[in-house]
Amino acid sequence: MKRTRISLDEVAAADNLLLAAWKAARGKRQRAEVQRFFARGDQAIARLSADILAGVVPYSEYRAFEIRDPKRRLIHAASFPDRVLQHAIMNLAEPVFERTLVPTSYACRPGLGVHKAIAQVQANLCRFPWFGKVDIEHYFPAIDHACLKRLLARRFKGDDFLALLGRLVDSCPAAPGKGLPIGSLSSQHFANHYLDGADRFLLDHPLVCAHVRYMDDTIWWARDRASVRQVLAELRAWLASERQLSLKANVQINRSERGVTWCGARVLRGALRLTPRKQRRYRQACARCEAAWLAGEIDSLALQHAYDAASAVLRQMDSLAWRKRHLVLHPSRYSEQ
């Protein structure tokens, strides 16, 4: 593929930075650091522009915190100016990444996403008899910086821009020369691009009938168990040699008629069921927003919006009966008022 030239002047342009600031602030306008940035307005944009041209960004100021989802994850939230920088870069670089990715990769892509990934998995379960499902061991912390930079250099040209991408890659390592921070916009795109070669390896394999990837979760289909096992062995070797990655031990090889758990849904040929994890997250979200309403922290309208947000992820699945049963067992305190 022909490499794309992006200049620092394009990244640092005022209109690009204004668009980036607007994107970075969506849903976060009430945060103090966002308000401070916009309070300075043109001055903040001008300073960031000058620092981009001078090669002193990213500022690499991260706030670390831990979440359980349900497994423990360490999140690194970049400072707001660094988030603006990342959006400014991706305003120009995202179309390049988008052109390189295969149609069966669904994460962090406009017009695709988790629901379409689930729908495609369900369609493939109906078409092919056997599948293999894998994910990467500690994926984001395991990404090799040198390898990632080589991949980026195949897609972009311009020493200054590649140096900026390199500093972004190096800004928050999990270990020397390894790892991307979970929670950053650039990390999502870099991590998605890092496994594009694995997608192409599978799609070009003569034993693979179909393939779907959502970030580091990959599933493929074949005609029989032996074919799935052969592809698995070759994929494991490819990842180790080409990307310095290893697979988790929880590899699944099964008949399509038995279904698969994928992106938080139990996917069957004729139905989409809720997983226990989705059920638990829904119960927790409802309890959290009702507690905030009872404490007077939010009003009734905000409570309704919170209910809508909690149930939105369930509406794509066959969850109506479960939601009715949940409402009977755990009636809303709002309905008592």
Side-chain angles (χ1 to χ4, degrees), residues 238-288:
W238 188 94
L239 289 169
S241 64
E242 298 294 328
R243 295 294 184 269
Q244 292 79 57
L245 298 173
S246 59
L247 296 177
K248 288 184 178 178
N250 60 344
V251 174
Q252 294 183 38
I253 298 176
N254 213 332
R255 294 181 182 273
S256 294
E257 63 190 22
R258 296 178 180 173
V260 63
T261 299
W262 180 260
C263 292
R266 182 62 187 168
V267 186
L268 306 171
R269 284 177 168 175
L272 297 177
R273 305 295 188 198
L274 292 176
T275 60
R277 175 182 172 183
K278 286 283 187 184
Q279 296 174 10
R280 182 172 61 252
R281 291 181 67 174
Y282 177 78
R283 288 194 295 267
Q284 290 172 346
C286 289
R288 202 163 44 240

Side-chain angles (χ1 to χ4, degrees), residues 96-315:
V96 180
F97 286 126
E98 182 62 23
R99 289 195 299 270
T100 67
L101 294 171
V102 300
T104 50
S105 173
Y106 285 82
C108 309
R109 301 185 65 185
L112 296 180
V114 65
H115 295 306
K116 290 193 175 181
I118 291 172
Q120 188 59 57
V121 167
Q122 187 176 44
N124 290 341
L125 289 174
C126 296
R127 296 176 61 197
F128 308 109
W130 285 87
F131 70 85
K133 175 178 174 288
V134 298
D135 60 340
I136 306 296
E137 183 76 29
H138 303 302
Y139 180 47
F140 275 71
I143 291 174
D144 183 78
H145 289 183
C147 182
L148 175 57
K149 291 174 186 178
R150 287 196 299 271
L151 295 174
L152 294 173
R154 294 177 189 173
R155 295 291 173 248
F156 302 98
K157 58 184 176 181
D159 292 342
D160 290 344
F161 182 69
L162 286 171
L164 172 59
L165 294 183
R167 292 194 301 273
L168 202 54
V169 169
D170 294 334
S171 64
C172 187
K178 295 278 188 179
L180 297 177
I182 299 174
S184 291
L185 175 68
S186 59
S187 295
Q188 296 174 18
H189 287 284
F190 292 162
N192 215 15
H193 182 62
Y194 197 73
L195 284 179
D196 178 64
D199 296 338
R200 296 177 187 278
F201 171 83
L202 288 171
L203 289 172
D204 291 341
H205 200 291
L207 296 179
V208 173
C209 301
H211 154 275
V212 172
R213 177 169 68 87
Y214 195 89
M215 196 51 75
D216 64 314
D217 290 342
T218 300
I219 183 171
W220 70 93
W221 285 262
R223 296 296 178 187
D224 51 51
R225 179 190 290 271
S227 297
V228 174
R229 287 188 178 278
Q230 181 176 335
V231 172
L232 172 63
E234 295 178 18
L235 175 63
R236 193 190 302 274
W238 188 94
L239 289 169
S241 64
E242 298 294 328
R243 295 294 184 269
Q244 292 79 57
L245 298 173
S246 59
L247 296 177
K248 288 184 178 178
N250 60 344
V251 174
Q252 294 183 38
I253 298 176
N254 213 332
R255 294 181 182 273
S256 294
E257 63 190 22
R258 296 178 180 173
V260 63
T261 299
W262 180 260
C263 292
R266 182 62 187 168
V267 186
L268 306 171
R269 284 177 168 175
L272 297 177
R273 305 295 188 198
L274 292 176
T275 60
R277 175 182 172 183
K278 286 283 187 184
Q279 296 174 10
R280 182 172 61 252
R281 291 181 67 174
Y282 177 78
R283 288 194 295 267
Q284 290 172 346
C286 289
R288 202 163 44 240
C289 63
E290 286 191 10
W293 176 72
L294 290 170
E297 298 171 3
I298 60 174
D299 59 16
S300 298
L301 181 60
L303 177 62
Q304 289 295 328
H305 289 323
Y307 281 146
D308 289 341
S311 60
V313 295
L314 309 185
R315 291 173 186 159

Side-chain angles (χ1 to χ4, degrees), residues 31 39 41 67 214 276 285 292:
R31 296 186 180 180
I67 64 170
Y214 195 89

